[in-house]
Amino acid sequence: VKTSKAPPPLDPEEPNKVATAIAKWGLDYVVLTSVDRDDLPDQGANHFREVIEQLKIKKPDLLVEALTPDFQGNLDLVEIVATSGLDVFAHNMETVERLTHLVRDHRAKYRQSLAVLTHVKTLGIGCLTKTSVMLGFGETDEDVRQILADLRTADVDVVTFGQYLQPTKKHVPVQEYVTPEKFAEWQTYAESLGFAYVASGPLVRSSYKAGEFFLKNYLRDKNQAASAS
């Protein structure tokens, strides 16, 4: 989706429309995402929340993951989304700290994204946190070990690694095509650090079918344990 200089207003009926459609489809796990709405005072946080709340009303047993922007580091807006009844709060770090200024939009900061993920866990609402990192930008092993250490300090539950592919000539070129063996090494290393789930491979993306299957069962077990206690 191209950036618009004059984005249209939000559709007030969208939360109900989305929830009604998804309830009819019979899904048990859904991932929501959106374009950035920096033009709005709340950057779209309340709209995100309304969609999630409507989903939970129409299908209470539906598990909902939201892949969100960083809301420019505004933790009050992060909280609006995180406390909506959400099951998985996802925000992608995208790359290691050393290369963030080369890879991401100049407004996106490594520590800012880390603070978003950290804040969700400090709320104590039981919402899982998830992030994705692309490899192939020229990162070193030390760079990757550092981001994994930072994510564990932030108590992030799920991390995925995938191969970066240059979408257009305007984007950063691929520096390396990481081998499947190296992806497997990172999976083993990340799992040893205590993440609840790790997916690592050239074709892995943040919304990864195997990951959703794991999270669905993980959350169901977690909810059943909470009910039993």
Side-chain angles (χ1 to χ4, degrees):
V1 178
K2 291 185 177 180
T3 300
S4 172
K5 293 182 179 179
L10 297 175
D11 176 3
E13 294 302 315
E14 186 174 40
N16 182 59
K17 290 176 182 176
V18 169
T20 299
I22 290 175
K24 287 181 179 178
W25 294 342
L27 301 177
D28 52 14
Y29 193 105
V30 66
V31 180
L32 303 174
T33 191
S34 73
V35 296
D36 287 354
R37 289 304 303 257
D38 301 347
D39 57 303
L40 301 173
D42 72 347
Q43 299 177 52
N46 282 292
H47 199 70
F48 244 124
R49 183 184 182 94
E50 288 171 20
V51 173
I52 296 162
E53 288 177 338
Q54 284 298 311
L55 283 168
K56 290 293 187 176
I57 289 170
K58 294 186 183 298
K59 198 163 191 280
D61 59 342
L62 178 70
L63 297 173
V64 182
E65 173 182 329
L67 177 58
T68 77
D70 63 6
F71 297 108
Q72 297 182 351
N74 186 324
L75 299 183
D76 290 336
L77 300 183
V78 171
E79 194 164 329
I80 287 172
V81 178
T83 58
S84 61
L86 191 63
D87 298 290
V88 181
F89 186 105
H91 172 66
N92 291 338
M93 299 293 293
E94 298 187 24
T95 189
V96 299
E97 184 169 23
R98 183 174 61 84
L99 300 176
T100 294
H101 70 289
L102 298 175
V103 173
R104 301 178 68 188
D105 184 278
H106 69 279
R107 293 165 295 183
K109 305 291 191 295
Y110 179 90
R111 293 291 159 183
Q112 183 167 285
S113 287
L114 205 58
V116 167
L117 292 164
T118 300
H119 186 65
V120 174
K121 295 312 285 282
T122 63
L123 297 173
I125 53 177
C127 183
L128 298 184
T129 50
K130 174 182 172 184
T131 196
S132 181
V133 180
M134 303 303 290
L135 302 181
F137 291 114
E139 63 286 329
T140 65
D141 285 1
E142 182 54 38
D143 288 331
V144 179
R145 283 192 288 267
Q146 183 59 57
I147 191 172
L148 287 170
D150 289 340
L151 292 172
R152 286 310 299 134
T153 299
D155 200 22
V156 170
D157 300 288
V158 178
V159 62
T160 68
F161 288 108
Q163 172 66 49
Y164 169 67
L165 298 174
Q166 185 182 21
T168 72
K169 291 182 179 179
K170 295 181 179 179
H171 288 78
V172 177
V174 176
Q175 297 298 315
E176 177 188 9
Y177 288 101
V178 180
T179 66
E181 291 77 15
K182 190 64 176 179
F183 275 109
E185 285 181 25
W186 285 126
Q187 173 143 358
T188 300
Y189 179 76
E191 288 173 344
S192 75
L193 297 179
F195 289 96
Y197 179 76
V198 181
S200 181
L203 301 180
V204 170
R205 294 296 178 261
S206 59
S207 295
Y208 187 58
K209 193 66 178 176
E212 291 171 15
F213 179 77
F214 170 84
L215 287 172
K216 180 173 67 176
N217 290 300
Y218 182 87
L219 286 163
R220 292 258 157 80
D221 291 346
K222 181 181 176 184
N223 292 338
Q224 288 174 1
S227 298
S229 62

